[in-house]
Amino acid sequence: MFGIDRTPNTCNNETVLTGADAELALVDALEAAGMTALLLDPSGDTAADIEVRTPNGQTLLIEAKYRTLVSSDPLPRQLDKYQHQLARIQTRLDKHVVGVLVAHRITDDARAMLQSAGWGWLDFRGRLHLPAPGLHD
């Protein structure tokens, strides 16, 4: 008899999330920070993942990316790829889209690189940075 093992993937005793799980975690973090966040339909007319309404009434579109660990060594290559994807989405929508990287762990130097590149982040230690006018860390 054959079976399928449905044991979740793990890495260093942490469950490895899917991109959809990471998007849900980001929505939860944004709402906990006082914003309204809505997952967008991937089959809809937008390629962005999340629409956010800030406390000051501003509406933002977010493209979320997920990694287990973000460190400074591979980050420049990853950001280059992500920036091209983000540019295509912005061109298609004719709107600004904020990139946010969701990860279990983001090193200090990687956070500095993300910030200088204009990207936001959420790590699973509770650190959320959303680079948008009128918002503070």
Side-chain angles (χ1 to χ4, degrees), residues 27-60:
V27 165
D28 289 344
L30 291 164
E31 290 181 343
M35 296 174 240
T36 303
L38 174 68
L39 276 174
L40 298 174
D41 182 0
S43 64
D45 60 351
T46 179
D49 297 316
I50 300 169
E51 182 178 274
V52 177
R53 172 98 10 131
T54 65
N56 65 3
Q58 180 181 3
T59 299
L60 306 170

PDB file of all heavy atoms in Angstrom, residues 27-60:
ATOM      1  N   VAL A  27      -0.212  40.438   5.735  1.00  0.00           N
ATOM      2  CA  VAL A  27      -1.526  41.065   5.956  1.00  0.00           C
ATOM      3  C   VAL A  27      -1.790  41.176   7.454  1.00  0.00           C
ATOM      4  O   VAL A  27      -2.204  42.231   7.950  1.00  0.00           O
ATOM      5  CB  VAL A  27      -2.646  40.277   5.244  1.00  0.00           C
ATOM      6  CG1 VAL A  27      -4.032  40.688   5.743  1.00  0.00           C
ATOM      7  CG2 VAL A  27      -2.549  40.461   3.736  1.00  0.00           C
ATOM      8  N   ASP A  28      -1.538  40.110   8.203  1.00  0.00           N
ATOM      9  CA  ASP A  28      -1.752  40.130   9.654  1.00  0.00           C
ATOM     10  C   ASP A  28      -0.890  41.196  10.328  1.00  0.00           C
ATOM     11  O   ASP A  28      -1.359  41.922  11.204  1.00  0.00           O
ATOM     12  CB  ASP A  28      -1.452  38.767  10.268  1.00  0.00           C
ATOM     13  CG  ASP A  28      -2.488  37.710   9.918  1.00  0.00           C
ATOM     14  OD1 ASP A  28      -3.594  38.073   9.449  1.00  0.00           O
ATOM     15  OD2 ASP A  28      -2.190  36.512  10.105  1.00  0.00           O
ATOM     16  N   ALA A  29       0.380  41.300   9.927  1.00  0.00           N
ATOM     17  CA  ALA A  29       1.292  42.279  10.525  1.00  0.00           C
ATOM     18  C   ALA A  29       0.860  43.705  10.194  1.00  0.00           C
ATOM     19  O   ALA A  29       0.902  44.594  11.056  1.00  0.00           O
ATOM     20  CB  ALA A  29       2.721  42.028  10.046  1.00  0.00           C
ATOM     21  N   LEU A  30       0.434  43.933   8.962  1.00  0.00           N
ATOM     22  CA  LEU A  30      -0.029  45.263   8.566  1.00  0.00           C
ATOM     23  C   LEU A  30      -1.271  45.657   9.358  1.00  0.00           C
ATOM     24  O   LEU A  30      -1.393  46.800   9.819  1.00  0.00           O
ATOM     25  CB  LEU A  30      -0.313  45.297   7.064  1.00  0.00           C
ATOM     26  CG  LEU A  30       0.917  45.189   6.160  1.00  0.00           C
ATOM     27  CD1 LEU A  30       0.495  44.840   4.735  1.00  0.00           C
ATOM     28  CD2 LEU A  30       1.734  46.470   6.202  1.00  0.00           C
ATOM     29  N   GLU A  31      -2.195  44.725   9.533  1.00  0.00           N
ATOM     30  CA  GLU A  31      -3.411  45.013  10.297  1.00  0.00           C
ATOM     31  C   GLU A  31      -3.090  45.249  11.769  1.00  0.00           C
ATOM     32  O   GLU A  31      -3.679  46.119  12.402  1.00  0.00           O
ATOM     33  CB  GLU A  31      -4.438  43.915  10.093  1.00  0.00           C
ATOM     34  CG  GLU A  31      -5.002  43.950   8.684  1.00  0.00           C
ATOM     35  CD  GLU A  31      -6.065  42.905   8.397  1.00  0.00           C
ATOM     36  OE1 GLU A  31      -6.175  41.918   9.166  1.00  0.00           O
ATOM     37  OE2 GLU A  31      -6.772  43.080   7.390  1.00  0.00           O
ATOM     38  N   ALA A  32      -2.125  44.496  12.310  1.00  0.00           N
ATOM     39  CA  ALA A  32      -1.715  44.708  13.700  1.00  0.00           C
ATOM     40  C   ALA A  32      -1.069  46.083  13.878  1.00  0.00           C
ATOM     41  O   ALA A  32      -1.112  46.652  14.970  1.00  0.00           O
ATOM     42  CB  ALA A  32      -0.738  43.605  14.137  1.00  0.00           C
ATOM     43  N   ALA A  33      -0.505  46.635  12.804  1.00  0.00           N
ATOM     44  CA  ALA A  33       0.114  47.961  12.845  1.00  0.00           C
ATOM     45  C   ALA A  33      -0.897  49.072  12.558  1.00  0.00           C
ATOM     46  O   ALA A  33      -0.520  50.225  12.396  1.00  0.00           O
ATOM     47  CB  ALA A  33       1.265  48.021  11.840  1.00  0.00           C
ATOM     48  N   GLY A  34      -2.188  48.740  12.469  1.00  0.00           N
ATOM     49  CA  GLY A  34      -3.229  49.746  12.324  1.00  0.00           C
ATOM     50  C   GLY A  34      -3.635  50.066  10.901  1.00  0.00           C
ATOM     51  O   GLY A  34      -4.304  51.070  10.658  1.00  0.00           O
ATOM     52  N   MET A  35      -3.239  49.225   9.964  1.00  0.00           N
ATOM     53  CA  MET A  35      -3.623  49.444   8.574  1.00  0.00           C
ATOM     54  C   MET A  35      -4.683  48.432   8.169  1.00  0.00           C
ATOM     55  O   MET A  35      -4.859  47.413   8.817  1.00  0.00           O
ATOM     56  CB  MET A  35      -2.399  49.307   7.672  1.00  0.00           C
ATOM     57  CG  MET A  35      -1.349  50.372   7.937  1.00  0.00           C
ATOM     58  SD  MET A  35       0.139  50.100   7.011  1.00  0.00           S
ATOM     59  CE  MET A  35       1.318  49.924   8.334  1.00  0.00           C
ATOM     60  N   THR A  36      -5.380  48.732   7.098  1.00  0.00           N
ATOM     61  CA  THR A  36      -6.321  47.784   6.518  1.00  0.00           C
ATOM     62  C   THR A  36      -5.620  47.150   5.330  1.00  0.00           C
ATOM     63  O   THR A  36      -5.107  47.851   4.464  1.00  0.00           O
ATOM     64  CB  THR A  36      -7.597  48.509   6.038  1.00  0.00           C
ATOM     65  OG1 THR A  36      -8.159  49.205   7.147  1.00  0.00           O
ATOM     66  CG2 THR A  36      -8.603  47.522   5.486  1.00  0.00           C
ATOM     67  N   ALA A  37      -5.574  45.830   5.299  1.00  0.00           N
ATOM     68  CA  ALA A  37      -4.860  45.121   4.231  1.00  0.00           C
ATOM     69  C   ALA A  37      -5.767  44.069   3.625  1.00  0.00           C
ATOM     70  O   ALA A  37      -6.500  43.385   4.319  1.00  0.00           O
ATOM     71  CB  ALA A  37      -3.592  44.470   4.781  1.00  0.00           C
ATOM     72  N   LEU A  38      -5.696  43.975   2.296  1.00  0.00           N
ATOM     73  CA  LEU A  38      -6.544  43.057   1.551  1.00  0.00           C
ATOM     74  C   LEU A  38      -5.699  42.290   0.543  1.00  0.00           C
ATOM     75  O   LEU A  38      -4.995  42.905  -0.266  1.00  0.00           O
ATOM     76  CB  LEU A  38      -7.630  43.855   0.818  1.00  0.00           C
ATOM     77  CG  LEU A  38      -8.545  43.101  -0.125  1.00  0.00           C
ATOM     78  CD1 LEU A  38      -9.453  42.152   0.648  1.00  0.00           C
ATOM     79  CD2 LEU A  38      -9.376  44.084  -0.933  1.00  0.00           C
ATOM     80  N   LEU A  39      -5.775  40.964   0.617  1.00  0.00           N
ATOM     81  CA  LEU A  39      -5.107  40.149  -0.403  1.00  0.00           C
ATOM     82  C   LEU A  39      -5.840  40.335  -1.715  1.00  0.00           C
ATOM     83  O   LEU A  39      -7.065  40.269  -1.755  1.00  0.00           O
ATOM     84  CB  LEU A  39      -5.137  38.667  -0.021  1.00  0.00           C
ATOM     85  CG  LEU A  39      -4.064  38.177   0.925  1.00  0.00           C
ATOM     86  CD1 LEU A  39      -4.330  36.723   1.309  1.00  0.00           C
ATOM     87  CD2 LEU A  39      -2.693  38.329   0.344  1.00  0.00           C
ATOM     88  N   LEU A  40      -5.101  40.569  -2.778  1.00  0.00           N
ATOM     89  CA  LEU A  40      -5.712  40.757  -4.087  1.00  0.00           C
ATOM     90  C   LEU A  40      -5.810  39.434  -4.823  1.00  0.00           C
ATOM     91  O   LEU A  40      -4.978  38.547  -4.645  1.00  0.00           O
ATOM     92  CB  LEU A  40      -4.896  41.761  -4.906  1.00  0.00           C
ATOM     93  CG  LEU A  40      -4.829  43.158  -4.290  1.00  0.00           C
ATOM     94  CD1 LEU A  40      -3.887  44.044  -5.091  1.00  0.00           C
ATOM     95  CD2 LEU A  40      -6.211  43.786  -4.205  1.00  0.00           C
ATOM     96  N   ASP A  41      -6.801  39.312  -5.649  1.00  0.00           N
ATOM     97  CA  ASP A  41      -7.037  38.105  -6.436  1.00  0.00           C
ATOM     98  C   ASP A  41      -5.939  37.973  -7.489  1.00  0.00           C
ATOM     99  O   ASP A  41      -5.788  38.857  -8.339  1.00  0.00           O
ATOM    100  CB  ASP A  41      -8.400  38.200  -7.102  1.00  0.00           C
ATOM    101  CG  ASP A  41      -8.769  36.978  -7.915  1.00  0.00           C
ATOM    102  OD1 ASP A  41      -7.968  36.023  -7.985  1.00  0.00           O
ATOM    103  OD2 ASP A  41      -9.869  36.980  -8.488  1.00  0.00           O
ATOM    104  N   PRO A  42      -5.158  36.882  -7.435  1.00  0.00           N
ATOM    105  CA  PRO A  42      -4.067  36.734  -8.411  1.00  0.00           C
ATOM    106  C   PRO A  42      -4.558  36.614  -9.845  1.00  0.00           C
ATOM    107  O   PRO A  42      -3.813  36.858 -10.782  1.00  0.00           O
ATOM    108  CB  PRO A  42      -3.342  35.467  -7.966  1.00  0.00           C
ATOM    109  CG  PRO A  42      -4.284  34.748  -7.082  1.00  0.00           C
ATOM    110  CD  PRO A  42      -5.243  35.762  -6.521  1.00  0.00           C
ATOM    111  N   SER A  43      -5.822  36.280 -10.043  1.00  0.00           N
ATOM    112  CA  SER A  43      -6.351  36.180 -11.403  1.00  0.00           C
ATOM    113  C   SER A  43      -6.992  37.498 -11.854  1.00  0.00           C
ATOM    114  O   SER A  43      -7.485  37.586 -12.966  1.00  0.00           O
ATOM    115  CB  SER A  43      -7.376  35.049 -11.498  1.00  0.00           C
ATOM    116  OG  SER A  43      -8.493  35.347 -10.684  1.00  0.00           O
ATOM    117  N   GLY A  44      -6.974  38.494 -10.970  1.00  0.00           N
ATOM    118  CA  GLY A  44      -7.586  39.781 -11.297  1.00  0.00           C
ATOM    119  C   GLY A  44      -6.710  40.610 -12.216  1.00  0.00           C
ATOM    120  O   GLY A  44      -5.721  40.140 -12.774  1.00  0.00           O
ATOM    121  N   ASP A  45      -7.065  41.888 -12.349  1.00  0.00           N
ATOM    122  CA  ASP A  45      -6.355  42.754 -13.291  1.00  0.00           C
ATOM    123  C   ASP A  45      -5.127  43.419 -12.685  1.00  0.00           C
ATOM    124  O   ASP A  45      -4.521  44.269 -13.304  1.00  0.00           O
ATOM    125  CB  ASP A  45      -7.295  43.813 -13.863  1.00  0.00           C
ATOM    126  CG  ASP A  45      -7.892  44.701 -12.795  1.00  0.00           C
ATOM    127  OD1 ASP A  45      -7.725  44.396 -11.601  1.00  0.00           O
ATOM    128  OD2 ASP A  45      -8.528  45.705 -13.154  1.00  0.00           O
ATOM    129  N   THR A  46      -4.777  43.065 -11.463  1.00  0.00           N
ATOM    130  CA  THR A  46      -3.561  43.601 -10.857  1.00  0.00           C
ATOM    131  C   THR A  46      -2.577  42.470 -10.593  1.00  0.00           C
ATOM    132  O   THR A  46      -2.977  41.353 -10.303  1.00  0.00           O
ATOM    133  CB  THR A  46      -3.872  44.352  -9.541  1.00  0.00           C
ATOM    134  OG1 THR A  46      -2.651  44.827  -8.999  1.00  0.00           O
ATOM    135  CG2 THR A  46      -4.551  43.470  -8.531  1.00  0.00           C
ATOM    136  N   ALA A  47      -1.314  42.758 -10.714  1.00  0.00           N
ATOM    137  CA  ALA A  47      -0.300  41.742 -10.435  1.00  0.00           C
ATOM    138  C   ALA A  47       0.252  41.919  -9.033  1.00  0.00           C
ATOM    139  O   ALA A  47       1.038  41.102  -8.581  1.00  0.00           O
ATOM    140  CB  ALA A  47       0.826  41.832 -11.463  1.00  0.00           C
ATOM    141  N   ALA A  48      -0.148  42.990  -8.337  1.00  0.00           N
ATOM    142  CA  ALA A  48       0.298  43.193  -6.966  1.00  0.00           C
ATOM    143  C   ALA A  48      -0.408  42.181  -6.060  1.00  0.00           C
ATOM    144  O   ALA A  48      -1.454  41.637  -6.407  1.00  0.00           O
ATOM    145  CB  ALA A  48       0.008  44.622  -6.523  1.00  0.00           C
ATOM    146  N   ASP A  49       0.177  41.934  -4.894  1.00  0.00           N
ATOM    147  CA  ASP A  49      -0.354  40.914  -3.984  1.00  0.00           C
ATOM    148  C   ASP A  49      -1.343  41.459  -2.955  1.00  0.00           C
ATOM    149  O   ASP A  49      -2.303  40.791  -2.596  1.00  0.00           O
ATOM    150  CB  ASP A  49       0.801  40.242  -3.239  1.00  0.00           C
ATOM    151  CG  ASP A  49       1.747  39.513  -4.167  1.00  0.00           C
ATOM    152  OD1 ASP A  49       1.269  38.811  -5.073  1.00  0.00           O
ATOM    153  OD2 ASP A  49       2.967  39.657  -3.989  1.00  0.00           O
ATOM    154  N   ILE A  50      -1.072  42.679  -2.466  1.00  0.00           N
ATOM    155  CA  ILE A  50      -1.833  43.204  -1.332  1.00  0.00           C
ATOM    156  C   ILE A  50      -2.140  44.684  -1.562  1.00  0.00           C
ATOM    157  O   ILE A  50      -1.289  45.433  -2.042  1.00  0.00           O
ATOM    158  CB  ILE A  50      -1.020  43.043  -0.021  1.00  0.00           C
ATOM    159  CG1 ILE A  50      -0.702  41.569   0.236  1.00  0.00           C
ATOM    160  CG2 ILE A  50      -1.758  43.659   1.168  1.00  0.00           C
ATOM    161  CD1 ILE A  50       0.308  41.335   1.344  1.00  0.00           C
ATOM    162  N   GLU A  51      -3.352  45.080  -1.205  1.00  0.00           N
ATOM    163  CA  GLU A  51      -3.717  46.505  -1.191  1.00  0.00           C
ATOM    164  C   GLU A  51      -3.830  46.934   0.260  1.00  0.00           C
ATOM    165  O   GLU A  51      -4.468  46.247   1.064  1.00  0.00           O
ATOM    166  CB  GLU A  51      -5.043  46.728  -1.905  1.00  0.00           C
ATOM    167  CG  GLU A  51      -5.436  48.200  -1.954  1.00  0.00           C
ATOM    168  CD  GLU A  51      -6.726  48.410  -2.705  1.00  0.00           C
ATOM    169  OE1 GLU A  51      -6.680  48.534  -3.942  1.00  0.00           O
ATOM    170  OE2 GLU A  51      -7.786  48.429  -2.029  1.00  0.00           O
ATOM    171  N   VAL A  52      -3.204  48.055   0.580  1.00  0.00           N
ATOM    172  CA  VAL A  52      -3.152  48.538   1.963  1.00  0.00           C
ATOM    173  C   VAL A  52      -3.727  49.943   2.034  1.00  0.00           C
ATOM    174  O   VAL A  52      -3.429  50.783   1.190  1.00  0.00           O
ATOM    175  CB  VAL A  52      -1.692  48.561   2.482  1.00  0.00           C
ATOM    176  CG1 VAL A  52      -1.621  49.127   3.895  1.00  0.00           C
ATOM    177  CG2 VAL A  52      -1.085  47.179   2.429  1.00  0.00           C
ATOM    178  N   ARG A  53      -4.529  50.181   3.056  1.00  0.00           N
ATOM    179  CA  ARG A  53      -5.006  51.528   3.362  1.00  0.00           C
ATOM    180  C   ARG A  53      -4.354  51.913   4.686  1.00  0.00           C
ATOM    181  O   ARG A  53      -4.532  51.233   5.696  1.00  0.00           O
ATOM    182  CB  ARG A  53      -6.521  51.547   3.489  1.00  0.00           C
ATOM    183  CG  ARG A  53      -7.092  52.825   3.978  1.00  0.00           C
ATOM    184  CD  ARG A  53      -7.647  53.822   3.006  1.00  0.00           C
ATOM    185  NE  ARG A  53      -7.800  53.418   1.650  1.00  0.00           N
ATOM    186  CZ  ARG A  53      -8.893  53.582   0.939  1.00  0.00           C
ATOM    187  NH1 ARG A  53      -9.956  54.109   1.472  1.00  0.00           N
ATOM    188  NH2 ARG A  53      -8.934  53.234  -0.320  1.00  0.00           N
ATOM    189  N   THR A  54      -3.558  52.987   4.652  1.00  0.00           N
ATOM    190  CA  THR A  54      -2.841  53.437   5.841  1.00  0.00           C
ATOM    191  C   THR A  54      -3.761  54.259   6.733  1.00  0.00           C
ATOM    192  O   THR A  54      -4.818  54.717   6.289  1.00  0.00           O
ATOM    193  CB  THR A  54      -1.616  54.278   5.447  1.00  0.00           C
ATOM    194  OG1 THR A  54      -2.066  55.473   4.811  1.00  0.00           O
ATOM    195  CG2 THR A  54      -0.680  53.502   4.535  1.00  0.00           C
ATOM    196  N   PRO A  55      -3.371  54.493   7.997  1.00  0.00           N
ATOM    197  CA  PRO A  55      -4.208  55.292   8.892  1.00  0.00           C
ATOM    198  C   PRO A  55      -4.465  56.711   8.368  1.00  0.00           C
ATOM    199  O   PRO A  55      -5.492  57.300   8.675  1.00  0.00           O
ATOM    200  CB  PRO A  55      -3.398  55.332  10.197  1.00  0.00           C
ATOM    201  CG  PRO A  55      -2.578  54.090  10.154  1.00  0.00           C
ATOM    202  CD  PRO A  55      -2.235  53.886   8.706  1.00  0.00           C
ATOM    203  N   ASN A  56      -3.542  57.242   7.533  1.00  0.00           N
ATOM    204  CA  ASN A  56      -3.754  58.588   6.998  1.00  0.00           C
ATOM    205  C   ASN A  56      -4.546  58.570   5.691  1.00  0.00           C
ATOM    206  O   ASN A  56      -4.651  59.585   5.015  1.00  0.00           O
ATOM    207  CB  ASN A  56      -2.422  59.321   6.822  1.00  0.00           C
ATOM    208  CG  ASN A  56      -1.523  58.681   5.782  1.00  0.00           C
ATOM    209  OD1 ASN A  56      -1.891  57.715   5.125  1.00  0.00           O
ATOM    210  ND2 ASN A  56      -0.317  59.215   5.645  1.00  0.00           N
ATOM    211  N   GLY A  57      -5.116  57.410   5.322  1.00  0.00           N
ATOM    212  CA  GLY A  57      -5.978  57.307   4.155  1.00  0.00           C
ATOM    213  C   GLY A  57      -5.279  57.002   2.840  1.00  0.00           C
ATOM    214  O   GLY A  57      -5.928  56.883   1.805  1.00  0.00           O
ATOM    215  N   GLN A  58      -3.981  56.871   2.872  1.00  0.00           N
ATOM    216  CA  GLN A  58      -3.222  56.562   1.660  1.00  0.00           C
ATOM    217  C   GLN A  58      -3.443  55.090   1.274  1.00  0.00           C
ATOM    218  O   GLN A  58      -3.524  54.220   2.128  1.00  0.00           O
ATOM    219  CB  GLN A  58      -1.737  56.821   1.924  1.00  0.00           C
ATOM    220  CG  GLN A  58      -0.836  56.558   0.767  1.00  0.00           C
ATOM    221  CD  GLN A  58       0.627  56.819   1.131  1.00  0.00           C
ATOM    222  OE1 GLN A  58       0.969  57.138   2.265  1.00  0.00           O
ATOM    223  NE2 GLN A  58       1.488  56.671   0.160  1.00  0.00           N
ATOM    224  N   THR A  59      -3.552  54.824  -0.030  1.00  0.00           N
ATOM    225  CA  THR A  59      -3.677  53.453  -0.519  1.00  0.00           C
ATOM    226  C   THR A  59      -2.370  53.050  -1.183  1.00  0.00           C
ATOM    227  O   THR A  59      -1.824  53.791  -1.991  1.00  0.00           O
ATOM    228  CB  THR A  59      -4.839  53.327  -1.524  1.00  0.00           C
ATOM    229  OG1 THR A  59      -6.054  53.680  -0.859  1.00  0.00           O
ATOM    230  CG2 THR A  59      -4.960  51.907  -2.047  1.00  0.00           C
ATOM    231  N   LEU A  60      -1.856  51.877  -0.806  1.00  0.00           N
ATOM    232  CA  LEU A  60      -0.612  51.346  -1.354  1.00  0.00           C
ATOM    233  C   LEU A  60      -0.852  49.972  -1.951  1.00  0.00           C
ATOM    234  O   LEU A  60      -1.689  49.215  -1.459  1.00  0.00           O
ATOM    235  CB  LEU A  60       0.434  51.169  -0.245  1.00  0.00           C
ATOM    236  CG  LEU A  60       0.789  52.337   0.629  1.00  0.00           C
ATOM    237  CD1 LEU A  60       1.639  51.859   1.792  1.00  0.00           C
ATOM    238  CD2 LEU A  60       1.542  53.362  -0.189  1.00  0.00           C
TER     239      LEU A  60
END
